[in-house]
Amino acid sequence: MPVTITATTIAKAKSDSGPGCRRHDIVDARSRGLSLRVSATGVQWSLRYQMGGKDKRLALGDVDLWTIAEARSIVDRAQLMLRDKMGVPDEAWLDRMRSAMGKAEAVTLAAPDPAPRQVFAWTFAEGREKFLAEVHRTRRHDTWKDYSWKLCGEDLKDLDGTPLPLITRQQLAGILGDIHRSGRETHAQNTQRVLSRFWNWLAEDGQAAKSGVQPGIMHGLKAPEPSLIEDDTDPEDPFGPGYVPPMTEIGRIVAIARSGAVHDTVAAALELMCWTVQRRRTVVEARRQDFEALGEGQGGLWHIPPRSMKSRSKKAKRRPHTIPLPPVAWAVVQRMLDVETDSAWLFPQIRARRQGEELTHINPSTLTHMLGWLPGVHASPHDVRRAFATHGETTLGLLRTDTAAILDHNPDARDVTGAHYALHNGTHRTWPIMQAWCSAVEAEIAGAAARLESAVAIKAAVTAARKNGGGRVLLAAE
C-alpha cells in the first residue's frame, strides 16, 4: 500500500537493509511510479512505469544520491514525458538528469536520442500484424501464408520489440546475410522480396503516421548474390529444376490415374492436369459450374474464372481463361460431374483436416505429393507444364504463341486489342492446339498401361513412399 515517503521512512528502510533482508518496495503515495527498493545490498530510488502495455523499471540510484523532493521531481518529469509522448526515461535520460541537477559530470552521448515519433511508432511485431492482416484481406491465402512464414520466422524474431523507424537497411541486410551464409540462399532472396514489400506498405499514406516509416528508406535492400555454380546440373538429381518429362512419363501418370491405384478424386485431378497443363491450384479450385458441355462426342470448354488465375490484373478479372477440352479430356470432367454430390467443387475435399471444418476442394499440395510418391514418375505439376511447352514446340510443331495461349492466364495484359476490342474466348485458335496435345498424350497411354505394375503394387509403393519419406521431394511451389 502506498505511503508518503519521509525522512523517517528512509531511515527505517536503511536499518532494514543488510544481510538477511528480503527485497521489497516502498511505494510513494505522492509521486506516481516512485518507490524505494529495499534489499540486502542497500536502498535505491526506483521509477516504475508502463509502455506498450508492459511494466518497466528504471533504477534512479542510491537513496542518498537524491533528496525526496529531487526524486519526486525526476519521476514527475518522466511521467509527464511519457504522457505527452516526448521520450522514454532510460539510462541516457537519467544521465542528463544527474548532470542537470549537479549530481554528475556532463555526459557526451555518442548519438542523439531517437525522436519521440520514432520511439512511439509501431514495433516490428505490430507493423507485421497490420501488414499481414491487409495481405489476408487483399491477396490469396497462399500468399498470406508465404508472407507470414517469412516475416514470423526465427531469423527476424529479435526485431519484434523494436520500433520500425529504428530498424535500418544495414540491419536487415545483415540478417539477410546471415540467412544466406547458413546455406538458405533462395530463402534470403525471398525474404528480401517480402521485407521490401512490407516496408513499402508501411510508408504508404494510410499507415505512415503510425509506422513512422519514411518512403524509400529500404530502397536498395538486397540479399547477397547467389553462389556461383559452374554446372547447374546435379548428377545425383537429374530430375531437379528444369526437368522436362518425356511424353512416356505423361502417359504413365494418366495410366496410373486410370488404374484404380489412386483415390478417384485425386486420380481425376491428376488426369485433368495432364490433359490441360494448368497450374495445380487452378485444377483443384475448378467448380462444376465452370464447365460447358458441347454435345455428344464434341468435348467441352473449361471457363477458368479470374479468381483461379495467377494474375490479379484488372484486365484478367473481367475475362475468364477458356480451355478447350477434346473428348478424351472431357471424359474426366464428365466422370466427376456424374458423381452425386452437394459440393460445388469438381474435386471435393475427401476429408477435413480438422474436425468441424467445412469441406472445400482437395489441397493443391495433394497433387504435388502424389506425383512425388508415384513409382516411376519424376515430374512435378510444374514439370508437366514444361513438357507441354517443350514437346509442343519441338515435336508437335506448335508456335510459342500457341503454347502461351494455353499456359498464360493473362494474354491480354500487353494486348490492347485483346483487352478491349476482340472480346471472344479465342477457342477458334486454341482447339487445334489442345487437340494436338491430347492426341500426343493419348498415344502414350496404351503403351504405359501395358508396362504398368498391378494396382496393388502401385498402392503399396505409394504407401511406402508416404510413410517412409520415399519418392522425390517436390517443392510446394511446383
Side-chain angles (χ1 to χ4, degrees):
M1 182 176 180
V3 300
T4 301
I5 295 177
T6 63
T8 303
T9 309
I10 293 174
K12 184 176 186 308
K14 288 181 176 180
S15 66
D16 290 341
S17 69
C21 174
R22 184 176 181 181
R23 189 177 69 181
H24 62 282
D25 291 337
I26 302 173
V27 181
D28 186 34
R30 290 184 52 185
S31 189
R32 183 169 59 91
L34 177 64
S35 64
L36 282 174
R37 170 152 288 194
V38 185
S39 67
T41 58
V43 183
Q44 282 197 334
W45 292 108
S46 179
L47 164 64
R48 295 183 67 87
Y49 62 93
Q50 275 203 341
M51 187 173 178
K54 296 182 179 180
D55 287 330
K56 304 284 185 179
R57 178 180 175 275
L58 178 65
L60 302 178
D62 190 80
V63 68
D64 292 327
L65 178 63
W66 309 100
T67 66
I68 299 174
E70 288 171 338
R72 286 176 178 148
S73 174
I74 289 174
V75 169
D76 290 344
R77 287 190 190 188
Q79 295 291 6
L80 183 64
M81 182 170 62
L82 288 167
R83 186 197 69 184
D84 295 339
K85 295 187 176 181
M86 296 299 294
V88 178
D90 53 16
E91 290 294 341
W93 171 81
L94 185 58
D95 284 340
R96 292 195 295 274
M97 291 298 100
R98 292 191 186 103
S99 176
M101 301 178 74
K103 305 294 183 177
E105 295 290 334
V107 179
T108 301
L109 299 178
D113 285 345
R117 64 178 174 80
Q118 296 177 321
V119 176
F120 290 98
W122 285 341
T123 63
F124 182 86
E126 291 169 335
R128 178 184 61 205
E129 179 184 0
K130 305 291 185 184
F131 173 66
L132 291 177
E134 183 67 7
V135 171
H136 193 271
R137 184 183 72 84
T138 60
R139 305 295 293 272
R140 295 192 175 98
H141 178 76
D142 286 348
T143 302
W144 169 80
K145 187 165 62 174
D146 177 59
Y147 283 17
S148 299
W149 180 64
K150 289 179 175 63
L151 293 178
C152 299
E154 290 291 315
D155 302 298
L156 299 171
K157 70 174 183 178
D158 290 341
L159 298 176
D160 278 1
T162 306
L164 286 163
L166 301 185
I167 300 174
T168 65
R169 189 180 70 218
Q170 291 77 12
Q171 188 175 4
L172 292 183
I175 294 174
L176 295 175
D178 291 339
I179 298 174
H180 183 275
R181 284 186 290 275
S182 71
R184 296 169 294 156
E185 297 189 6
T186 301
H187 182 55
Q189 298 282 346
N190 292 335
T191 301
Q192 177 271 318
R193 171 178 51 83
V194 175
L195 282 172
S196 293
R197 291 180 182 176
F198 178 28
W199 248 261
N200 287 339
W201 179 83
L202 291 170
E204 291 177 1
D205 291 344
Q207 45 278 342
K210 295 179 180 178
S211 71
V213 172
Q214 301 299 309
I217 196 70
M218 289 298 164
H219 179 70
L221 177 66
K222 296 193 303 183
E225 291 290 331
S227 299
L228 176 64
I229 301 176
E230 297 290 352
D231 185 358
D232 61 359
T233 59
D234 183 355
E236 296 183 0
D237 184 15
F239 310 111
Y243 173 60
V244 180
M247 291 302 298
T248 53
E249 186 169 339
I250 304 300
R252 180 176 175 83
I253 296 172
V254 176
I256 292 177
R258 294 178 175 183
S259 69
V262 180
H263 188 282
D264 290 346
T265 302
V266 178
L270 285 174
E271 190 172 345
L272 185 64
M273 181 185 68
C274 288
W275 293 123
T276 63
V277 293
Q278 297 305 296
R279 292 181 174 88
R280 58 179 195 159
R281 186 173 62 80
T282 302
V283 172
V284 301
E285 287 184 356
R287 295 175 185 261
R288 299 165 74 90
Q289 66 183 28
D290 298 337
F291 296 89
E292 175 188 352
L294 297 180
E296 186 69 28
Q298 298 182 51
L301 298 174
W302 180 10
H303 303 290
I304 301 174
R307 66 174 177 271
S308 296
M309 299 181 191
K310 189 170 184 179
S311 170
R312 290 184 58 87
S313 76
K314 293 181 179 179
K315 296 182 181 66
K317 287 182 180 179
R318 295 200 303 266
R319 305 278 299 278
H321 181 53
T322 301
I323 300 292
L325 300 177
V328 66
W330 178 256
V332 183
V333 175
Q334 190 62 58
R335 187 166 76 244
M336 295 307 297
L337 292 176
D338 290 340
V339 176
E340 294 186 6
T341 177
D342 294 330
S343 175
W345 307 99
L346 189 68
F347 306 111
Q349 193 173 6
I350 299 168
R351 64 181 67 85
R353 294 183 63 186
R354 296 180 182 85
Q355 187 175 2
E357 282 189 345
E358 179 185 0
L359 289 175
T360 58
H361 53 74
I362 62 175
N363 193 289
S365 296
T366 301
L367 303 186
T368 306
H369 294 319
M370 184 56 69
L371 285 182
W373 295 329
L374 293 182
V377 172
H378 309 289
S380 71
H382 215 64
D383 294 336
V384 173
R385 288 165 60 80
R386 187 177 293 113
F388 168 74
T390 304
H391 300 309
E393 295 179 18
T394 60
T395 305
L396 304 181
L398 300 179
L399 301 176
R400 179 64 50 84
T401 52
D402 295 335
T403 54
I406 302 301
L407 298 177
D408 189 357
H409 276 187
N410 191 21
D412 296 334
R414 299 166 297 278
D415 179 6
V416 174
T417 300
H420 300 287
Y421 302 109
L423 303 182
H424 54 79
N425 61 23
T427 53
H428 64 289
R429 174 190 169 200
T430 52
W431 266 109
I433 300 171
M434 290 306 298
Q435 286 168 337
W437 171 252
C438 289
S439 295
V441 173
E442 191 173 19
E444 301 290 344
I445 296 174
R451 297 186 296 271
L452 206 61
E453 306 90 323
S454 68
V456 173
I458 295 173
K459 281 184 179 180
V462 170
T463 301
R466 183 173 53 203
K467 290 184 177 180
N468 303 326
R472 182 181 165 215
V473 178
L474 301 178
L475 299 177
E478 296 180 316

